[in-house]
Amino acid sequence: MIAAAAAVVVAAGPALGETRLISKHDDWEASLRSAGKERTCYISSLPKKSAGDYNKRGEASVIVAHWPKRKRWAEVTVNAGYPYKEKSEVVIRIGGVDHRLFTAGQQAYAYKGEDAKLVGAMRAGATMIVVGVSKKGTRTVDTYSLKGISAALKAIDTECRGKGGKSKAGKKKRKAAAKRGG
């Protein structure tokens, strides 16, 4: 699984470096990719079930990545294992709620400002269904288990944010609450 997710992280980030498995949590893995001074922490999972009328398809995966140097946190990427239909959207269904992502090549990404909502839904859900359409018009449905995602996210928070995964924004909120007596 690390190889597929690392390929997606490499496509979006530093070209050289090494990847290290941090930990495994049920159906999710937490990893660290280092290239020079840039580090990327990410979690990844493979579908438990895939459906679609296709002859050839690469490995599908979902990753959630932290890019500390760029101050970008919990960014979601879906890797289809095939080129998506141009200008199409991917639908992720969690607990009966649909989340839409835009496509670019073989990947799909959450729209600006939507990553946190999607990750929150992933943490609260049990399964996630990803529906996409290939360049050739083939509809695919991938089903992912969300078991272990919260622990995997905590592992990359600790690795890339430090101090037990508590961000600076969270620290400011806790200080403000302490001043108010709450």
Side-chain angles (χ1 to χ4, degrees):
M1 180 179 340
I2 293 174
V8 174
V9 172
V10 169
L16 301 173
E18 62 181 57
T19 301
R20 172 177 64 84
L21 177 67
I22 299 168
S23 53
K24 290 185 179 190
H25 305 275
D26 295 304
D27 296 315
W28 290 81
E29 292 182 355
S31 301
L32 169 67
R33 178 151 183 83
S34 300
K37 292 183 180 180
E38 186 147 3
R39 296 167 9 124
T40 304
C41 290
Y42 63 93
I43 63 171
S44 59
S45 187
L46 301 175
K48 291 292 185 183
K49 183 172 121 183
S50 293
D53 188 20
Y54 48 84
N55 294 324
K56 184 180 176 186
R57 182 180 183 191
E59 190 171 73
S61 63
V62 171
I63 68 166
V64 180
H66 290 341
W67 307 82
K69 188 173 180 182
R70 302 174 191 186
K71 297 188 182 356
R72 293 172 25 203
W73 310 103
E75 292 186 343
V76 178
T77 302
V78 174
N79 181 30
Y82 60 77
Y84 283 114
K85 180 179 179 180
E86 283 190 41
K87 299 181 183 177
S88 67
E89 287 186 315
V90 165
V91 175
I92 293 181
R93 176 167 282 173
I94 303 169
V97 177
D98 289 352
H99 304 268
R100 298 194 175 278
L101 287 75
F102 68 93
T103 60
Q106 292 192 27
Q107 282 79 41
Y109 306 95
Y111 287 97
K112 186 173 183 169
E114 295 296 312
D115 286 291
K117 290 178 195 173
L118 180 54
V119 171
M122 291 166 76
R123 281 178 177 256
T127 60
M128 174 173 75
I129 298 170
V130 179
V131 180
V133 178
S134 77
K135 189 172 159 179
K136 294 181 179 181
T138 304
R139 182 176 183 265
T140 59
V141 180
D142 297 322
T143 303
Y144 291 83
S145 166
L146 296 172
K147 188 175 182 184
I149 192 167
S150 292
L153 285 164
K154 185 176 181 180
I156 65 168
D157 282 348
T158 300
E159 187 73 35
C160 271
R161 290 187 187 206
K163 298 187 181 181
K166 295 177 182 172
S167 67
K168 288 181 183 178
K171 188 175 182 179
K172 286 180 186 177
K173 287 180 186 176
R174 286 188 299 282
K175 281 185 179 180
K179 284 182 183 178
R180 292 190 310 267

